[in-house]
Amino acid sequence: MMLSAQALAGPPDVQGTSVGVGLAVGQRAMALSVPGLDHRVGAWPGASLDLRQVLFQPESLPATLELRLQGSFFRGTSAGNSFDAPDGLVSQRYTARGLIGLTRPMGSVELTLSSGFGVDATMVTPNADYTGQQYMHVPVQIALRRPFGESIFAGVELTAMPVVAYNQSSSFPDHNAFGARAHVSAGWRPSPDGFFVELGYAYQRFLTYLPLSTGERATSVDVAQNLGVTVGWAR
């Protein structure tokens, strides 16, 4: 989340281009009711990229059309597996998301409504029981950004993520899945154009229902969270 610093009484400027790279530490906890397994990574380091570009800004309207591209990668060691595989399996998680959004100022707040396509995938070292899950989803997001004084800014993003395709251990079972994500951040920018630094926390949850041949259904609850620092440049 990136925002130029403005006086609290005035609307924030919409930056034409903003690029941020970051480092983060995250956790993952997944539980699948049938056959009864879980996958956890207590703390895995990661990196992120966040690009925001204004595509169109009509002079007659107080709004801009924007493109936002985001990605992240985490790698760590599995722990506490209840499936029949040794602890210490290497796990990786990557996310990629592209959004088209409409941004406009509302008083001292910048509001963005956006949607697009995203992928969230966890991969585990090949074994006989569980090798990961992948969610292809259509994010629908609302974002609020607000300056506090001349150099501090804060933001909130709330995202609904209906899943359109689901992969579990290299298979594509019937499913009914939905995800949600919340991200809060605060940052510092010494001047309207140029360097910024931002601290952010994200919490994400996917809930998946999987029908079984017995007529019952299995449930997968997949929770990921991370805390990260982003450094970037905007103009």
Side-chain angles (χ1 to χ4, degrees):
M1 269 171 234
M2 289 158 276
L3 174 65
S4 63
Q6 293 287 330
L8 184 60
D13 286 342
V14 176
Q15 299 292 331
T17 302
S18 182
V19 180
V21 293
L23 297 175
V25 61
Q27 293 182 331
R28 194 231 186 182
M30 188 283 302
L32 183 62
S33 62
V34 177
L37 62 85
D38 66 85
H39 174 256
R40 295 194 300 274
V41 180
W44 48 8
S48 64
L49 173 67
D50 193 335
L51 168 65
R52 185 178 174 193
Q53 175 66 52
V54 171
L55 301 177
F56 180 62
Q57 187 169 10
E59 295 182 0
S60 59
L61 295 175
T64 59
L65 184 66
E66 297 182 1
L67 170 68
R68 191 172 186 188
L69 301 175
Q70 297 173 293
S72 66
F73 177 80
F74 293 86
R75 181 182 174 90
T77 302
S78 305
N81 300 294
S82 61
F83 57 96
D84 187 19
D87 289 349
L89 295 178
V90 174
S91 298
Q92 302 177 84
R93 175 173 178 251
Y94 70 87
T95 67
R97 181 165 50 181
L99 299 168
I100 295 291
L102 187 65
T103 298
R104 62 165 297 167
M106 299 183 66
S108 62
V109 175
E110 178 185 291
L111 171 68
T112 302
L113 300 175
S114 58
S115 186
F117 186 78
V119 176
D120 191 297
T122 298
M123 297 172 290
V124 183
T125 301
N127 62 86
D129 297 285
Y130 176 75
T131 57
Q133 288 164 291
Q134 293 83 45
Y135 307 89
M136 285 156 275
H137 56 88
V138 178
V140 179
Q141 182 182 96
I142 180 171
L144 299 173
R145 305 174 185 89
R146 181 175 182 177
F148 292 89
E150 296 191 359
S151 60
I152 304 298
F153 61 92
V156 177
E157 294 178 354
L158 301 175
T159 309
M161 300 182 294
V163 175
V164 296
Y166 172 77
N167 182 322
Q168 178 179 302
S169 297
S170 300
S171 65
F172 293 87
D174 291 337
H175 70 279
N176 184 4
F178 187 85
R181 182 177 186 268
H183 181 269
V184 295
S185 65
W188 174 72
R189 174 176 288 141
S191 63
D193 294 331
F195 165 83
F196 68 87
V197 61
E198 180 180 13
L199 176 67
Y201 168 77
Y203 178 91
Q204 177 179 291
R205 183 184 182 101
F206 280 103
L207 178 62
T208 306
Y209 296 105
L210 303 163
L212 304 175
S213 59
T214 60
E216 301 175 329
R217 65 181 183 181
T219 302
S220 168
V221 179
D222 191 346
V223 175
Q225 54 185 327
N226 61 269
L227 179 68
V229 175
T230 298
V231 176
W233 172 87
R235 65 173 178 84

